Amino acid sequence: MLKTKKFDAIDYLKTEEEIAAYLNAFIEEGDYKFLPVALADIARARKAMTTAAKAAGVTRSSLYQSLSEEGRPAFDTVAKVAQSLGYKLTLVPMT
Protein backbone atom coordinates (compact mmCIF):
# COMPACT_ATOMS: atom_id res chain seq x y z
CA MET A 1 0.00 0.00 0.00
CA LEU A 2 1.28 3.42 -0.96
CA LYS A 3 1.56 5.84 1.95
CA THR A 4 1.17 9.51 1.27
CA LYS A 5 1.77 12.51 3.44
CA LYS A 6 -0.10 15.79 3.29
CA PHE A 7 2.00 18.48 1.62
CA ASP A 8 3.34 21.11 3.99
CA ALA A 9 5.55 23.87 2.58
CA ILE A 10 7.55 24.14 5.78
CA ASP A 11 9.11 20.75 5.00
CA TYR A 12 10.94 22.56 2.19
CA LEU A 13 11.81 25.82 3.95
CA LYS A 14 15.00 24.82 5.74
CA THR A 15 17.43 27.51 4.57
CA GLU A 16 17.21 31.26 4.03
CA GLU A 17 17.79 30.65 0.31
CA GLU A 18 14.81 28.27 0.13
CA ILE A 19 12.66 30.74 2.07
CA ALA A 20 13.65 33.62 -0.22
CA ALA A 21 12.92 31.56 -3.33
CA TYR A 22 9.53 30.53 -1.92
CA LEU A 23 8.55 34.10 -1.08
CA ASN A 24 9.79 35.45 -4.41
CA ALA A 25 7.81 32.80 -6.29
CA PHE A 26 4.58 34.10 -4.73
CA ILE A 27 5.48 37.69 -5.53
CA GLU A 28 6.55 36.97 -9.12
CA GLU A 29 3.42 34.91 -9.73
CA GLY A 30 1.38 38.04 -8.99
CA ASP A 31 -1.34 36.26 -7.02
CA TYR A 32 -0.98 38.42 -3.95
CA LYS A 33 -3.83 36.82 -2.02
CA PHE A 34 -1.42 33.98 -1.21
CA LEU A 35 1.34 36.26 0.15
CA PRO A 36 -0.12 36.08 3.69
CA VAL A 37 -0.17 32.27 3.39
CA ALA A 38 3.50 32.30 2.37
CA LEU A 39 4.36 34.54 5.33
CA ALA A 40 2.53 32.14 7.65
CA ASP A 41 4.50 29.22 6.22
CA ILE A 42 7.75 31.10 6.76
CA ALA A 43 6.79 32.00 10.34
CA ARG A 44 5.92 28.35 11.04
CA ALA A 45 9.17 27.14 9.44
CA ARG A 46 11.16 29.53 11.64
CA LYS A 47 9.01 28.69 14.68
CA ALA A 48 8.24 32.40 14.92
CA MET A 49 4.43 32.53 14.82
CA THR A 50 4.19 33.82 18.41
CA THR A 51 6.70 36.59 17.67
CA ALA A 52 4.85 37.50 14.48
CA ALA A 53 1.52 37.62 16.33
CA LYS A 54 2.95 39.93 18.99
CA ALA A 55 4.39 42.22 16.30
CA ALA A 56 1.01 42.34 14.54
CA GLY A 57 -0.82 42.99 17.82
CA VAL A 58 -3.06 39.93 17.55
CA THR A 59 -3.29 36.55 19.23
CA ARG A 60 -1.44 33.60 17.77
CA SER A 61 -4.67 31.79 16.88
CA SER A 62 -6.08 34.93 15.27
CA LEU A 63 -2.93 35.27 13.18
CA TYR A 64 -3.16 31.64 12.03
CA GLN A 65 -6.73 32.32 10.93
CA SER A 66 -6.05 35.63 9.18
CA LEU A 67 -3.00 34.26 7.32
CA SER A 68 -4.85 31.17 6.11
CA GLU A 69 -6.16 30.77 2.54
CA GLU A 70 -9.61 31.82 3.80
CA GLY A 71 -8.25 34.77 5.80
CA ARG A 72 -8.44 38.37 4.75
CA PRO A 73 -5.75 40.11 6.81
CA ALA A 74 -5.41 43.86 6.86
CA PHE A 75 -2.41 45.24 4.99
CA ASP A 76 -1.05 46.49 8.30
CA THR A 77 -1.07 42.94 9.67
CA VAL A 78 0.76 41.59 6.61
CA ALA A 79 3.35 44.38 6.80
CA LYS A 80 3.98 43.82 10.52
CA VAL A 81 4.31 40.06 10.10
CA ALA A 82 6.72 40.58 7.21
CA GLN A 83 8.76 42.99 9.31
CA SER A 84 8.85 40.57 12.25
CA LEU A 85 10.31 37.98 9.86
CA GLY A 86 12.99 40.40 8.68
CA TYR A 87 11.35 41.61 5.49
CA LYS A 88 10.36 45.07 4.32
CA LEU A 89 7.53 45.55 1.86
CA THR A 90 8.61 47.98 -0.82
CA LEU A 91 6.78 49.28 -3.86
CA VAL A 92 8.88 50.03 -6.92
CA PRO A 93 7.83 51.25 -10.34
CA MET A 94 7.20 48.48 -12.85
CA THR A 95 9.62 48.54 -15.72
Side-chain angles (χ1 to χ4, degrees):
M1 174 179 237
L2 178 66
K3 285 190 172 189
T4 61
K5 178 180 164 187
K6 183 178 178 188
F7 176 81
D8 192 342
I10 70 168
D11 294 335
Y12 303 93
L13 301 176
K14 304 293 184 199
T15 67
E16 289 304 313
E17 291 80 19
E18 292 167 339
I19 290 171
Y22 180 68
L23 189 56
N24 285 329
F26 276 96
I27 293 168
E28 289 171 8
E29 193 67 30
D31 195 353
Y32 300 112
K33 72 178 182 178
F34 290 110
L35 180 61
V37 175
L39 290 174
D41 290 340
I42 293 166
R44 287 187 314 117
R46 291 183 177 172
K47 299 188 182 352
M49 192 60 89
T50 300
T51 302
K54 286 180 185 176
V58 297
T59 65
R60 191 168 176 250
S61 62
S62 174
L63 188 61
Y64 270 109
Q65 184 177 3
S66 69
L67 297 182
S68 72
E69 287 186 34
E70 297 81 28
R72 309 277 288 170
F75 180 80
D76 186 52
T77 300
V78 172
K80 287 178 179 178
V81 169
Q83 185 176 19
S84 78
L85 296 171
Y87 298 103
K88 174 175 68 171
L89 299 179
T90 304
L91 299 175
V92 295
M94 292 174 37
T95 55

